[in-house]
Amino acid sequence: MREKIKQQIDRLKAKGAHYVDARWYPREDSNFLFMWNGNLKENNASSQSGMGVRVLYNGAWGFSASSDLTNPNAIFDRAFDNARIASERVTFPIRLAEKEAVVDSFTSPNQIDPFTIGLDEKVAFLQKMDAALNQPGVVQRFGMLEFVRKQIIFLDSEGSEIEKNIIEVFPSIHAMGIDKDGGMQRRKYQPGRTGATRGWESINETDFLANAERIVSELNQVLVADDAPNGKMSVILLNGIMFLQTHETIGHALELDRILGYELSFAGGSFVRLEDFGKLRYGSEKLTARANALEPNSPGSFGFDDDGVPAQDNLLIDKGILVGAITGRQMVEEANAKAKKQIFDGSSGANRATSFYRVPIERMTNINIDPGTDGSLEDIIANTKYGLVLDGDKSWSIGSNREQFHFACDIGWLVEDGQKKQVVKNPTYRGETLPFYNSLTAVGDESTWNVHYVENCGKGAPNQIMQLGHGVPVCRFDNVQVGE
Amino acid sequence: MSNQVIDLLQKLRQSAIKRGLQTFISYHEEDSFLMRFANSAISLNTNEHLISLDFIAFDGRKKVSYSMITDPSDFESMEKGLDTLAEMLPHAQALSYDPTFPVYEKDVLDERAFDPALAALTNEERLAYFNTLAEGLESDDVKLSGIFSSGTTTTAQISTANEHSQTFRSTDAQITAVLSSESLKWEVNAEQSAQKKSDLDAEGLHADLALLVKHYQEDQSVQLPVGKYTVVLGPAATAELINIMAYYGMTGGALMQGYSFLKEEDQGKHLFSEKINLLDDPRKVEIYAQNADSYGLERKPFPLIAEGRFQAFMWDQDSADEFGKTPTGHDVSHASLVMDGGEKSVATLKDLLEKDREEDLLYVPYIHYMNVVNPTQGMVTGSSRFGALFLKKDGSVQVPYNVRLTQKFSDFFGERVQWLSKEQVAYNVSSSYGRRNPTALKVPRFICVKEIEISHSNPSY
């Protein structure tokens, strides 16, 4: 098949295509198990195979994909024809940033392929988790195991040939109960990704059992708790909500395609403008954020993006100042041209597609916040006059330019005079992105830092779900509107 | 087309029977086209032809499934899928209830929603449509974005119980056109849902966009003070609210899992405005209705709200099996929700702007990034977007910066409802995550609701 693809790429080049690439998925397997209240509701295996072809012709993209590989010529021809029509409405002819031709491979670090583990063992794990969660106060409980194994062959007309073999595991447990006012409450646990590998071995049963106890205990405290207070106060965001705050108001805001207006008809734009790079004070000096696709054990690390650009670790915000973006080959060229200066040195290797039948777009890798110097969680609490410690991603809603947000959390703890007090329920907070990050007054040290995976980030049209990660410390923000 | 699909399903059925598998087999085929615009250019032109198969094997209370996106000529891979299913089944855990195995009592072929002309739409026609809707409205500062998504979806089901099968085929199109100011960052949009080619109306979208652009360029922009407003919802806002309300509140699964803001004893109670009637109506071809669910149950009009009284929960087969209820024909990839219009004739935005008004009205056509803050309270939050207008009592119009609404479903559809427009429109809420699943609701063009609270107001666009 590789030779056939190369021939087709050469054929379209001869027809006048400026650039051609193909992503052939010989096979992608997944396995999903879902146990709800002791019932194994989902026990699904799946597979997919096919090819997606991208053609750049006269400054415009065409893309075509099919699971029917009996006639690969047809897929290439349709992609070429789609580009030909698209070239009839071009305002800024697409150019691609330079890159070296890469002949290489990437295999995600794993010790045990989860597809070699028998169904009995996987079901037994879920049964143990179900039993651990089945305690007084818990009225609904579920556990999920999802495994993905994919082989991707990338070839392009610039001589790149890359094979990727990637395995992912996504385990989580959830417990829900009815609070004293009749409202549904929940706590959940998914393990962090600071280990060196991401195979079956990364699912640690002892760790899960300990966390099952913790979330049931916390849930029971929420069930009898009073509502969170309203008003302006400090919020101390634990990993289980700080990852989402980072995701929504740093990650999405710094996707260069959004900044350039390529998502305006769907996901939205960004308040960031090209002239902001190198100047905009995004947050306080305590804020340093980076896109690090080199974290070993995260779905945001993939070796090479779907432009064939190697994974990188790049600063986005340096001591509060905006310095970088999440980029691919097309957008950096357009941004530099529109800004009439060199903002970006090249692609940051973040152009990714969710499957063979979707086109690559700028996606987050691991959008991380560097640990700070404000000590442990306990240290930060001890230095807080009045506020809430918050955790859990109950609900999120963000302005279309990522300029403002509203989050609801699963649990809060009141903090008064440096003391962590009682649990409160239904905490929400909201704010405007720049004032919020400029109110960042404490960033926890390494002991508070963890990598949180995201398996369901949606973006693009046609829509794509992407997997990625966020390494974040505990952070405190002051003067935040809580409640309402 | 249908014969080829049925032939494949019959062949797979025989393979399953040979393996001794009691199996449900489902087929999904999409031929999808999407032309995407950004910065006044075509930023992407794509098509995907994908064939998916789902197998579910049953053994008493045990159930396992296998899904695949596959090459239609690769029967060997499909049989391997059945082999995998046979390997998995003995290791499955028995459910605590008896799952129903689909048994079809007759053949069903429903192609009411298929239009050959829309299926054959060309790249040139998609481009011409966008050129028409944007004609004369773009400038160095005002740029066109949008999508023209269209396609054909074929689904079919069979089970090893007998040779009867079901086939459904529909065509759909979803068009979103956005005009935005590069310098000021305002954005307005116009949208259309189509089931057949003759539904396409580029001139209509042009008129909507031209009106909004005029207001956004000429009228004063304003940061509204937070507080309560009389709000007029456009069809996008209404459809998204109803869709989320039905999903979170009106399914038996959500009820039993404790997520619904409604309770079992709420059935028959007057919980919404008497002006509100909401029906799941499988007769409405324009919103891609189908006449049977995937278990072969005939789909019939199913009232959810009648003159403000909540009527009943929708029960899919699995939830009905688990909780001892009767399924209501809701094992479908999408319901066909219709909210009745009212008595006030307001057919277009132009009509709304020209009508005399007794108070200030905040027109919110679209709620961006709506999410459920508290499911058991039925509380949602989201921000206005795409062409909100503040219609002053004195007849003038201002352009409000985006505002955040955090309210309960009962705030939007309860006693505060003032009027609903007589005119209805189909609004497309299809998501192209995963498989193509054309989904639309038919809703009043406008709904006016008093005392909707704005909790945050942007200081600029």
Side-chain angles (χ1 to χ4, degrees):
Chain A
M1 181 59 93
R2 289 186 195 220
E3 285 311 307
K4 277 187 191 171
I5 293 171
K6 286 178 185 171
Q7 288 166 13
Q8 293 298 323
I9 288 173
D10 290 344
R11 182 171 67 83
L12 293 198
K13 282 285 284 182
K15 277 176 77 172
H18 176 71
Y19 169 86
V20 184
D21 67 30
R23 279 174 298 111
W24 169 43
Y25 282 50
R27 191 168 172 98
E28 176 173 342
D29 293 304
S30 59
N31 180 200
F32 179 63
L33 294 98
F34 177 70
M35 184 171 284
W36 185 293
N37 290 348
N39 273 313
L40 190 61
K41 287 277 201 176
E42 288 287 340
N43 185 356
N44 177 262
S46 66
S47 65
Q48 60 181 31
S49 61
M51 183 160 56
V53 174
R54 192 169 59 148
V55 173
L56 185 57
Y57 175 80
N58 276 354
W61 283 124
F63 178 77
S64 183
S66 181
S67 59
D68 183 349
L69 299 184
T70 49
N71 181 13
N73 294 25
I75 308 173
F76 281 84
D77 285 339
R78 280 196 296 270
F80 184 87
D81 194 53
N82 286 340
R84 184 184 57 75
I85 290 290
S87 71
E88 292 181 17
R89 208 183 213 275
V90 168
T91 49
F92 183 90
I94 293 165
R95 299 195 306 258
L96 300 178
E98 293 295 320
K99 69 155 189 182
E100 297 288 325
V102 176
V103 179
D104 207 338
S105 63
F106 171 79
T107 300
S108 59
N110 315 283
Q111 288 176 19
I112 304 170
D113 178 348
F115 290 85
T116 65
I117 300 297
L119 192 53
D120 289 341
E121 195 172 339
K122 293 170 181 169
V123 172
F125 174 82
L126 287 175
Q127 287 171 331
K128 278 183 192 165
M129 295 307 119
D130 184 74
L133 294 173
N134 191 10
Q135 296 188 44
V138 177
V139 297
Q140 305 284 341
R141 59 192 191 275
F142 64 86
M144 289 194 285
L145 289 173
E146 185 176 6
F147 308 103
V148 179
R149 179 178 63 191
K150 53 188 166 188
Q151 181 188 17
I152 306 167
I153 313 292
F154 171 89
L155 297 107
D156 71 18
S157 57
E158 297 173 346
S160 289
E161 185 171 345
I162 298 166
E163 177 171 342
K164 294 192 281 189
N165 287 281
I166 293 176
I167 285 176
E168 304 289 359
V169 303
F170 300 110
S172 64
I173 53 174
H174 307 242
M176 287 144 282
I178 305 294
D179 68 34
K180 63 180 184 178
D181 299 317
M184 179 61 89
Q185 303 290 345
R186 66 155 206 188
R187 290 295 284 141
K188 74 169 184 181
Y189 173 67
Q190 64 178 57
R193 293 300 186 90
T194 47
T197 61
R198 52 175 121 157
W200 171 258
E201 71 283 353
S202 66
I203 302 174
N204 180 324
E205 189 176 296
T206 307
D207 171 65
F208 261 90
L209 289 171
N211 278 289
E213 282 297 318
R214 177 180 61 82
I215 64 173
V216 169
S217 167
E218 290 177 355
L219 176 69
N220 274 301
Q221 293 173 66
V222 173
L223 299 186
V224 296
D226 291 330
D227 282 332
N230 289 352
K232 294 267 180 101
M233 63 190 76
S234 297
V235 293
I236 298 169
L237 304 186
L238 304 188
N239 302 127
I241 183 65
M242 187 60 207
F243 89 92
L244 190 60
Q245 181 73 53
T246 305
H247 179 91
E248 301 292 1
T249 54
I250 293 179
H252 279 306
L254 296 185
E255 291 162 341
L256 192 52
D257 56 347
R258 286 183 73 121
I259 293 169
L260 290 171
Y262 280 86
E263 283 285 328
L264 277 187
S265 62
F266 178 59
S270 173
F271 66 88
V272 171
R273 297 167 188 254
L274 291 177
E275 55 268 33
D276 291 335
F277 286 93
K279 289 188 292 195
L280 177 69
R281 176 154 288 285
Y282 206 104
S284 75
E285 288 195 355
K286 290 180 179 288
L287 179 66
T288 292
R290 62 183 66 243
N292 182 6
L294 303 176
E295 292 289 344
N297 178 21
S298 169
S301 303
F302 38 79
F304 303 88
D305 76 356
D306 291 325
D307 281 341
V309 175
Q312 301 162 34
D313 177 6
N314 293 306
L315 275 175
L316 298 172
I317 299 167
D318 187 13
K319 296 185 179 69
I321 302 298
L322 176 67
V323 295
I326 296 161
T327 67
R329 295 181 72 193
Q330 175 191 345
M331 297 301 162
V332 294
E333 281 290 300
E334 183 170 333
N336 287 340
K338 284 189 169 167
K340 299 188 174 65
K341 65 177 182 179
Q342 181 100 354
I343 304 174
F344 303 103
D345 292 335
S347 166
S348 69
N351 220 30
R352 291 198 287 159
T354 191
S355 64
F356 72 85
Y357 54 85
R358 292 288 186 257
V359 73
I361 53 176
E362 267 82 357
R363 301 309 300 249
M364 289 178 230
T365 55
N366 301 297
I367 307 304
N368 299 349
I369 306 289
D370 282 1
T373 56
D374 294 302
S376 65
L377 171 61
E378 291 72 24
D379 293 332
I380 292 173
I381 291 171
N383 291 315
T384 301
K385 180 77 179 159
Y386 178 65
L388 289 174
V389 176
L390 299 174
D391 198 21
D393 55 337
K394 186 175 184 178
S395 166
W396 54 98
S397 174
I398 301 91
S400 58
N401 286 319
R402 302 282 147 167
E403 76 287 2
Q404 48 92 5
F405 56 83
H406 180 289
F407 290 102
C409 301
D410 292 333
I411 188 169
W413 290 265
L414 199 62
V415 175
E416 288 176 337
D417 296 324
Q419 300 289 315
K420 188 176 172 186
K421 299 284 181 68
Q422 72 270 24
V423 165
V424 292
K425 72 175 192 295
N426 297 330
T428 64
Y429 69 98
R430 60 183 168 82
E432 294 176 3
T433 302
L434 291 182
F436 182 76
Y437 281 108
N438 277 282
S439 74
L440 175 64
T441 52
V443 178
D445 62 19
E446 286 276 359
S447 72
T448 72
W449 195 87
N450 206 344
V451 180
H452 195 104
Y453 72 76
V454 174
E455 80 277 36
N456 59 353
C457 172
K459 184 185 171 187
N463 302 158
Q464 303 191 41
I465 294 284
M466 187 53 77
Q467 296 75 44
L468 50 105
H470 295 291
V472 290
V474 168
C475 291
R476 185 187 65 205
F477 302 85
D478 289 342
N479 203 31
V480 176
Q481 179 64 50
V482 170
E484 296 182 4
Chain B
M1 170 62 74
S2 294
N3 284 341
Q4 286 174 5
V5 172
I6 298 305
D7 288 348
L8 175 63
L9 290 188
Q10 293 289 4
K11 214 169 142 189
L12 285 166
R13 177 175 171 270
Q14 289 303 327
S15 290
I17 289 170
K18 265 188 212 161
R19 287 165 172 77
L21 288 170
Q22 189 185 29
T23 310
F24 164 74
I25 302 166
S26 176
Y27 175 95
H28 180 282
E29 179 175 0
E30 67 175 282
D31 214 359
S32 295
F33 300 86
L34 188 135
M35 189 173 277
R36 192 168 190 197
F37 297 78
N39 297 316
S40 289
I42 298 175
S43 59
L44 175 66
N45 191 21
T46 173
N47 73 280
E48 299 94 38
H49 179 231
L50 302 171
I51 290 163
S52 307
L53 287 165
D54 296 298
F55 307 129
I56 306 176
F58 293 70
D59 179 13
R61 290 188 164 189
K62 289 184 175 180
K63 197 166 90 164
V64 295
S65 62
Y66 189 88
S67 309
M68 59 196 310
I69 297 176
T70 188
D71 184 332
S73 64
D74 188 2
F75 195 72
E76 194 183 329
S77 285
M78 299 176 203
E79 290 200 302
K80 278 184 186 164
L82 290 170
D83 288 337
T84 303
L85 212 56
E87 287 167 20
M88 291 167 69
L89 195 53
H91 303 283
Q93 179 196 261
L95 295 164
S96 62
Y97 56 91
D98 294 318
T100 297
F101 181 63
V103 178
Y104 302 110
E105 291 177 356
K106 60 180 181 181
D107 289 324
V108 172
L109 174 62
D110 183 359
E111 297 187 313
R112 291 173 300 155
F114 178 73
D115 175 44
L118 186 58
L121 205 68
T122 64
N123 269 326
E124 286 79 2
E125 288 172 303
R126 282 183 274 273
L127 176 55
Y129 181 101
F130 254 78
N131 285 337
T132 300
L133 70 84
E135 192 171 358
L137 299 176
E138 297 166 271
S139 68
D140 286 345
D141 183 56
V142 177
K143 304 288 189 188
L144 174 71
S145 301
I147 58 160
F148 193 127
S149 169
S150 62
T152 302
T153 309
T154 305
T155 58
Q157 295 102 34
I158 198 167
S159 84
T160 50
N162 60 42
E163 292 190 341
H164 290 308
S165 63
Q166 306 192 127
T167 308
F168 307 93
R169 189 155 62 141
S170 63
T171 45
D172 69 286
Q174 178 184 20
I175 298 108
T176 299
V178 175
L179 287 167
S180 56
S181 162
E182 209 166 53
S183 59
L184 294 174
K185 293 212 168 193
W186 55 252
E187 47 191 10
V188 299
N189 84 349
E191 298 185 271
Q192 182 163 31
S193 176
Q195 176 270 315
K196 53 188 186 300
K197 188 176 179 182
S198 58
D199 292 335
L200 297 174
D201 177 16
E203 287 80 10
L205 262 65
H206 180 276
D208 290 348
L209 284 169
L211 181 64
L212 281 167
V213 167
K214 181 173 181 295
H215 282 287
Y216 269 64
Q217 288 181 326
E218 296 177 2
D219 294 337
Q220 183 193 355
S221 54
V222 58
Q223 180 183 17
L224 293 177
V226 296
K228 290 187 174 175
Y229 290 81
T230 297
V231 166
V232 177
L233 300 171
T238 302
E240 291 285 357
L241 279 166
I242 293 171
N243 210 27
I244 291 182
M245 179 174 74
Y247 179 78
Y248 274 93
M250 297 178 174
T251 64
L255 170 72
M256 300 311 290
Q257 290 157 11
Y259 278 104
S260 175
F261 66 98
L262 297 166
K263 299 179 181 64
E264 198 148 20
E265 57 269 29
D266 286 338
Q267 293 173 108
K269 283 189 183 166
H270 188 173
L271 303 174
F272 302 94
S273 163
E274 285 183 358
K275 299 178 177 71
I276 298 291
N277 291 290
L278 181 64
L279 186 71
D280 177 26
D281 192 346
R283 298 167 300 186
K284 301 293 182 190
V285 172
E286 66 271 33
I287 51 174
Y288 321 115
Q290 60 183 56
N291 59 15
D293 81 350
S294 60
Y295 278 75
L297 285 178
E298 185 182 352
R299 301 248 303 136
K300 295 174 181 166
F302 187 86
L304 291 162
I305 303 172
E307 294 181 344
R309 290 184 186 278
F310 173 58
Q311 297 295 299
F313 291 94
M314 299 177 276
W315 289 93
D316 64 80
Q317 186 69 57
D318 185 64
S319 298
D321 288 342
E322 182 173 2
F323 299 110
K325 301 289 183 180
T326 303
T328 53
H330 284 96
D331 268 278
V332 283
S333 54
H334 57 270
S336 307
L337 299 177
V338 177
M339 182 174 273
D340 284 356
E343 293 181 349
K344 192 163 183 153
S345 181
V346 195
T348 65
L349 179 58
K350 186 166 176 286
D351 292 346
L352 180 70
L353 289 164
E354 289 174 351
K355 277 203 182 303
D356 289 339
R357 39 193 178 259
E358 295 169 355
E359 58 183 328
D360 297 343
L361 299 175
L362 174 59
Y363 171 59
V364 177
Y366 187 99
I367 302 179
H368 176 77
Y369 217 129
M370 198 187 307
N371 208 336
V372 178
V373 178
N374 190 323
T376 37
Q377 291 178 0
M379 181 180 283
V380 293
T381 189
S383 300
S384 64
R385 192 183 174 191
F386 288 141
L389 295 172
F390 190 53
L391 315 181
K392 304 268 287 180
K393 185 179 170 185
D394 63 11
S396 64
V397 176
Q398 294 179 330
V399 175
Y401 301 134
N402 287 339
V403 297
R404 178 169 289 283
L405 313 165
T406 305
Q407 297 275 263
K408 296 177 182 174
F409 294 123
S410 55
D411 296 327
F412 287 112
F413 300 118
E415 292 309 318
R416 300 180 195 171
V417 171
Q418 297 299 290
W419 53 262
L420 297 84
S421 69
K422 189 163 63 182
E423 297 79 6
Q424 295 167 283
V425 294
Y427 184 78
N428 199 313
V429 293
S430 300
S431 156
S432 50
Y433 290 110
R435 297 173 185 177
R436 188 171 200 90
N437 174 24
T439 310
L441 293 84
K442 196 162 186 179
V443 296
R445 180 69 178 80
F446 300 102
I447 297 181
C448 180
V449 192
K450 279 181 90 74
E451 295 181 20
I452 293 294
E453 180 139 7
I454 286 166
S455 57
H456 177 268
S457 182
N458 278 7
S460 64
Y461 284 117

